[in-house]
Each structure stands twice: as structure tokens, then as C-alpha cells.
Amino acid sequence: MYDFEKPKGLPRNIERAEKIDKHLKISTLALGLKFFKKGEEIVSGLENESTSPGTFCQFLSQTRFDRCTIRQNYLLRRKDIVCPYAPGVIGFEAWGEDVNSGDHMAGVHFETAEAARRAQSAVPKIEPFSIEAFLIGPLMDLEIDPDIIAIAFQPGMSCKLLDGAMWNTGEPFNIKYFNMCGTCGAVADAYNKKNLVIGFPDHGTRRMALFGDAELFAAIHIEFFDEWILGMEKSFATGHSFPVGYMLKRPPASVPHFKIKEWPNNIVPFGEKMDKK
């Protein structure tokens, strides 16, 4: 193994990534996200400042796919996120009236502004103006403990993933879809609840961030991670693994959705601001 291929993160982060891979055999990298609150010291020397803005979900996919070529973590601030929704979801700011009103999505994903407003009001959000920046990188390369561990996974893996989440409590696991905030909303929900949250990648995540048609998304708070892994280990000991016995083969990487960058009707190159016209 070449030196540049070796994980460089904290030993416990490398171990966390290995445990996820052991039980789920995901096709792309597990990610770690560390949120720095206002007034909190931002650890330096562990990241690369982004030189090209993008959406929150685009940075998720850049990081999970590009370790072999870029091999870097990203320290992201409000200026780096061009999506109209994510900054208000992950704690950089509060949504303005243009989003809260529902007008922005009326006739796009919803029949009326009222329907859009109803869906948007239910999106989980980190406290507005509480976050200064966040660090994102491959979990195995992260040199700081993350707040959130995030993975893309295929539907068949959900049985094993949920075995771990439900092992101790047996509480039914509910999944909600928020239409335009599938990944950032899941991260915010897991951050607030300190739990595991499954998100359905939304249209933007699939169209602009290359999440495959057969992929789902999960965000796991670091305080719930050990309990989740223990649940998967306990259920594994009873003979429940992924893949199931007659399919003992790692699934191929999901074919990305047709790559198009648009908002909502015009083609927008990655890195340019997306304005509705």
C-alpha cells in the first residue's frame, strides 16, 4: 500500500470506518462532519478551504467519491454553500421570507405555496446563526472526532442498519421525506436528536450531487454511534448479516442519476450561484 493510500485519521475514526464497512459493505466512503459553533475555536491545519462553492449535498458526494484523487477535507462556511435551503438547515442562518412563504417551490415540487410552506416548516434545522463553519472529510482520514457520521447506502442494507438502531429499544423507526432537504435535513435531525436518522435524497441531491437512484442516506450522531454498532454486532452474532448468505458479495457502486445541474430550469455549472429565473 502506498503512503498516500493509507488512512491518516485518528485511530478511532479509522476503526469506526472499518466497523461500518464490516457490517454494511457500503460502496462509497463513510464521512465525518464536525460543526464549529459561533465563538468556538476552529481547529486549523486539518482542512483545505474550498475554492469552489457548491451545494451541501455536492460536498457530501465530492468527499465520498474523490478520496483517491483529491484526498482532502473541506472546511466550509456560509459563503461556500450556494443552495437556498441548506444554510438555514445546518445552522448558518435563518430562512428568509422567500423560502418560508413557500413561493420559491410553488408550482415546482408543490401545487401551491401553502403546500410548500407546510413541508418546509417541518424540515429539521440546527439553531439558526449557531454554526460558524463545518469540517467534512472521509471518516478514515478525519483527525478530529466528528459530530455526525454520514453514509450513502442501498435499500437492502436498511435491514442491517435498522437492526443496530433498534436493538436496544425496539422502538419503531419512522422515516420522513421533506422533498427538498433530504440530506441536509437528515444531518440536522441527527445533530439535534443525537440519534440515527435516515434521509431520502431529494431531487437536488440526486440531480446535482450524483446520489444514485438506488441510494439512501443516513446520518448518525457520534454519541449514538457505539450503541448502533453494538446492535449490528449483536444481531450479526444471531446470523443476520449484510449481504444475506446467498448474496455474499459487495454491491457495486450505484450508477449516478443523470448528471445535470439546474435551478430549476437553467443549466448552472458547478461553483456558480443558482438563481431562480
Side-chain angles (χ1 to χ4, degrees), residues 27-238:
S27 300
T28 58
L29 294 171
L31 308 177
L33 293 91
K34 172 65 178 178
F35 289 89
F36 295 99
K37 297 180 180 179
K38 295 277 188 176
E40 182 179 0
E41 180 183 0
I42 298 177
V43 178
S44 61
L46 304 178
E47 77 293 324
N48 297 89
E49 295 278 355
S50 173
T51 57
S52 179
T55 66
F56 177 82
C57 48
Q58 280 177 326
F59 282 109
L60 288 175
S61 274
Q62 273 190 277
T63 310
R64 71 188 179 107
F65 281 119
D66 290 345
R67 178 179 177 269
C68 59
T69 53
I70 297 177
R71 190 67 185 279
Q72 67 181 28
N73 304 324
Y74 294 100
L75 181 67
L76 301 172
R77 305 174 190 273
R78 171 62 186 92
K79 65 178 177 59
D80 300 307
I81 307 298
V82 296
C83 170
Y85 291 99
V89 174
I90 60 175
F92 282 139
E93 62 189 26
W95 278 351
E97 182 58 24
D98 59 330
V99 176
N100 280 326
S101 66
D103 291 338
H104 197 65
M105 279 296 153
V108 181
H109 291 305
F110 304 94
E111 176 68 19
T112 64
E114 174 58 24
R117 186 203 63 75
R118 186 178 302 114
Q120 290 164 189
S121 66
V123 174
K125 303 173 185 70
I126 298 174
E127 182 182 354
F129 305 106
S130 66
I131 301 300
E132 180 67 31
F134 70 94
L135 181 71
I136 180 172
L139 179 59
M140 68 175 69
D141 286 336
L142 215 62
E143 299 177 66
I144 185 173
D145 283 311
D147 294 311
I148 298 293
I149 291 171
I151 60 172
F153 68 97
Q154 294 178 323
M157 300 174 188
S158 61
C159 297
K160 185 64 186 171
L161 185 149
L162 291 174
D163 276 348
M166 299 171 63
W167 179 264
N168 279 337
T169 67
E171 289 291 330
F173 198 93
N174 298 313
I175 302 173
K176 294 182 178 180
Y177 178 59
F178 300 104
N179 198 292
M180 57 296 224
C181 301
T183 49
C184 59
V187 168
D189 207 18
Y191 183 88
N192 291 336
K193 293 180 178 178
K194 298 184 177 181
N195 210 320
L196 183 150
V197 174
I198 291 176
F200 286 95
D202 52 83
H203 288 279
T205 302
R206 297 194 190 279
R207 297 173 76 87
M208 292 181 287
L210 303 185
F211 270 67
D213 292 341
E215 286 185 309
L216 300 176
F217 178 76
I220 307 100
H221 194 280
I222 193 65
E223 293 186 19
F224 186 68
F225 182 82
D226 287 343
E227 179 178 334
W228 173 56
I229 291 293
L230 180 62
M232 288 200 291
E233 290 174 346
K234 293 284 190 178
S235 60
F236 179 82
T238 69

